[in-house]
């Protein structure tokens, strides 16, 4: 494919993995990295890192996202649920069959590279246009629901299916912010992050998937499906995306993915009105738009973080493929850490 841009954003890696690349830093999950991760398995114990997919509960954290709704499939306008085949086929079978309406980024999730783009003059013609990682464009690389006969939306490039096809397996490494900073709200910049990494002796290597434990998902669980938005807004550590040195470290560390157990990895200033020149979510812009680093949000990391601390460890084998749903811009998942 021909290159889709004449200039790339400052600090981006567009083209470094090829002009048609749709994986970004997942290219660093090489067979050698998988072997390195497998070497971290010593106890043979596995941890599910997913919240129940109907958590947080309600839609107070994001009015556009709603809990999943399970319903039965239908045949001949009858629900296929506790359906007995005795009358139709003279058998003993009873079947339940269901379907779900699901906001793909409601609970434990991956953000695809198609989730966040930016206005940027990739054509070098003096005018900003909408563009995504590696120069992909709304036309022809996306289908807007207002422009399709059935109202469907689709990312024809950078969809979550490319991530799924890799298997997403490699070395996970835990940074336990909660242990050092507690459950109070704290914007964590470069200095705070480096202090934790140094105190705990965490080794972050090129190609690692970095996990940040803040305790947010554990607090969500404790609310039993009735999240207190005001309390959550004042709780737990969150990365300070406005910190230039922090953003530089995310790039230079060489991490393949950035994961947290909180709502957006970074602090979202809801009173931010902007100046037309800066992103609302600077780490989202850096990771998804510039560097091709997938973001994981609302992972349940507390049991794993506590086990690792008790055993004086930080690294583990992480297996975390999303749903292989072509065209989706995010996906729920049930990641598994093996120690």
């Amino acid at each position: 494919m021909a290159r889709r841009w004449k200039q790339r954003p400052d600090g981006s890696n567009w083209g470094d993995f090829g002009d048609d690349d749709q994986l970004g830093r997942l290219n660093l999950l090489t067979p050698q990295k998988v072997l390195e991760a497998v070497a971290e398995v010593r106890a043979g114990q596995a941890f599910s890192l997913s919240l129940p997919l109907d958590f947080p509960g309600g839609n107070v954290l994001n009015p556009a996202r709603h809990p999943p709704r399970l319903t039965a499939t239908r045949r001949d306008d009858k629900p296929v649920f506790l359906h007995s085949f005795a009358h139709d086929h003279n058998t003993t079978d009873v079947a339940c069959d269901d379907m779900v309406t699901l906001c793909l980024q409601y609970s434990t999730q991956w953000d695809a590279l198609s989730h966040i783009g930016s206005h940027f003059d990739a054509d070098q013609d003096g005018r900003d246009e909408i563009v995504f990682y590696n120069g992909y464009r709304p036309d022809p690389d996306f289908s807007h629901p207002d422009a399709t006969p059935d109202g469907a939306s689709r990312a024809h490039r950078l969809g979550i299916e490319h991530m799924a096809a890799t298997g997403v397996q490699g070395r996970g490494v835990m940074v336990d912010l909660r242990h050092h900073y507690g459950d109070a709200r704290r914007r964590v910049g470069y200095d705070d992050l480096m202090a934790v990494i140094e105190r705990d002796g965490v080794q972050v290597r090129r190609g690692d998937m970095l996990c940040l434990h803040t305790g947010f998902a554990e607090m969500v669980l404790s609310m039993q499906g009735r999240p207190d938005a005001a309390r959550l807004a004042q709780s737990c550590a969150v990365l300070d995306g406005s910190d230039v040195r922090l953003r530089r470290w995310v790039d230079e560390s060489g991490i393949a993915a950035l994961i947290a157990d909180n709502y957006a990895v970074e602090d979202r200033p809801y009173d931010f009105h902007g100046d037309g020149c800066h992103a609302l979510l600077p780490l989202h812009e850096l990771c998804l738009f510039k560097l091709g680093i997938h973001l994981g949000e609302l992972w349940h990391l507390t049991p794993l973080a506590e086990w690792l601390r008790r055993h004086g460890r930080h690294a583990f084998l992480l297996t975390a493929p999303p749903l292989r749903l072509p065209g989706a811009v995010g996906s729920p998942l049930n990641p598994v850490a093996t120690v």
Side-chain angles (χ1 to χ4, degrees), residues 12-27:
S12 76
N13 62 6
W14 292 10
D16 288 2
F17 297 111
D19 292 340
D20 59 346
D21 176 58
Q22 299 183 62
L23 292 178
R25 288 275 185 90
L26 290 182
N27 284 285

Side-chain angles (χ1 to χ4, degrees), residues 75-76 78-80 82-95:
R75 183 174 180 177
D76 298 328
K78 295 179 180 179
V80 183
L82 299 176
H83 175 75
S84 173
F85 289 95
H87 298 299
D88 299 331
H89 302 287
N90 193 28
T91 73
T92 59
D93 303 286
V94 177

Side-chain angles (χ1 to χ4, degrees), residues 242 267-282:
S242 67
D267 186 35
R268 177 176 178 178
Y270 286 90
D271 57 351
F272 180 79
H273 297 291
D275 56 7
C277 300
H278 297 88
L280 170 65
L281 298 171

Side-chain angles (χ1 to χ4, degrees), residues 30 55 98 107 109 128 146 198 216 239 247 272 317 319 322:
T30 62
F55 274 66
D98 55 8
S107 186
Q109 64 179 271
D128 290 347
D146 291 345
E198 182 177 351
F216 187 93
L239 291 185
R247 298 201 305 271
F272 180 79
L317 169 65
T319 305

